[in-house]
Amino acid sequence: MSDVSEQLPVDSEISENADFLSFCLAGELYGVDIRDVEEIRVWERPTPIPRSPMFIKGVINLRGMIVPIMDLRLRFRVGEADYLPTTVVLILRSVADDEERLIGIVVDAVADVISQGEQTLTPAIGESTVTPFVTGLLNVGEQVLTLLNTEELLNIDTILSEG
C-alpha cells in the first residue's frame, strides 16, 4: 500500500516554516498564509450587490477601495450565516495576471497564528465543496488545520461560475 502523500500533489508554494492565520468556521479550524492577510475587521453589514452569488454579502469601502465581502460558510455550505460578536472579516490579498485583488471573507472567529515548523502538509482527502480550495492539512494539537489556497479562493472566474 502506497502512502497517500505520494499520490496527491501538495501546493509547492507553501514553504516549510510558513506561518498561517487560523480561524474558526462552523466548528472547524481553517487557515490562510499570513502573507495573504491584509487586515482583520469587525463584522459590519456590507452594501448588497444585486444579482451577485448568494455567498457574496456585498461590498465595503476600505480606504477608498471597493472590496467584495464573501461569507465563507455560505460558499462552503457548512452552516447558517449567523453573525455573532466574534464574527470578523479577513481582508485577503491575491495577485492574478499582475493585478492585486482584495476580497473579505466572513469567518466565525480568528484563532491564532500557527507556524508550520518542521511538519509537512498532508494533502486533502475526498471530495467536498471545500476540497478545491485546500492547499493541505496540518496537525495542530488535537485539531486538524485545513489550509486554504487564497489565490483559488479569490479567483473571480471561479466565484462567478459558482453564482
Side-chain angles (χ1 to χ4, degrees):
M1 183 171 185
S2 65
D3 184 15
V4 172
S5 64
E6 294 175 3
Q7 300 171 354
L8 300 172
V10 175
D11 189 344
S12 60
E13 293 183 15
I14 301 291
S15 62
E16 287 187 20
N17 300 316
D19 290 328
F20 307 103
L21 179 65
S22 65
F23 56 90
C24 300
L25 189 71
E28 301 292 328
L29 188 63
Y30 292 87
V32 292
D33 190 320
I34 200 162
R35 296 173 298 184
D36 296 337
V37 178
E38 181 76 17
E39 68 180 74
I40 303 169
R41 299 176 58 94
V42 295
W43 164 252
E44 61 182 279
R45 185 166 302 285
T47 303
I49 303 172
R51 306 180 61 86
S52 62
M54 60 94 174
F55 53 82
I56 299 295
K57 302 306 292 179
V59 294
I60 62 169
N61 183 338
L62 182 67
R63 295 181 291 281
M65 293 183 294
I66 302 300
V67 178
I69 303 299
M70 172 193 323
D71 190 313
L72 217 48
R73 290 169 292 188
L74 296 175
R75 188 170 191 194
F76 289 171
R77 296 181 212 138
V78 293
E80 294 296 318
D82 294 327
Y83 302 104
L84 306 171
T86 59
T87 302
V88 295
V89 176
L90 304 180
I91 305 294
L92 301 179
R93 162 186 353 101
S94 76
V95 177
D97 300 325
D98 294 328
E99 184 177 321
E100 186 175 85
R101 174 172 294 126
L102 294 177
I103 294 183
I105 62 169
V106 181
V107 302
D108 295 341
V110 170
D112 214 347
V113 174
I114 296 171
S115 179
Q116 182 179 353
E118 299 299 319
Q119 293 188 69
T120 57
L121 296 178
T122 302
I125 300 170
E127 295 282 329
S128 74
T129 56
V130 180
T131 306
F133 308 104
V134 175
T135 298
L137 307 173
L138 190 68
N139 286 323
V140 179
E142 299 295 319
Q143 291 185 291
V144 174
L145 175 72
T146 302
L147 295 171
L148 300 176
N149 180 323
T150 304
E151 186 174 320
E152 189 60 32
L153 196 62
L154 305 188
N155 183 309
I156 197 70
D157 293 331
T158 305
I159 291 172
L160 293 175
S161 71
E162 293 177 36

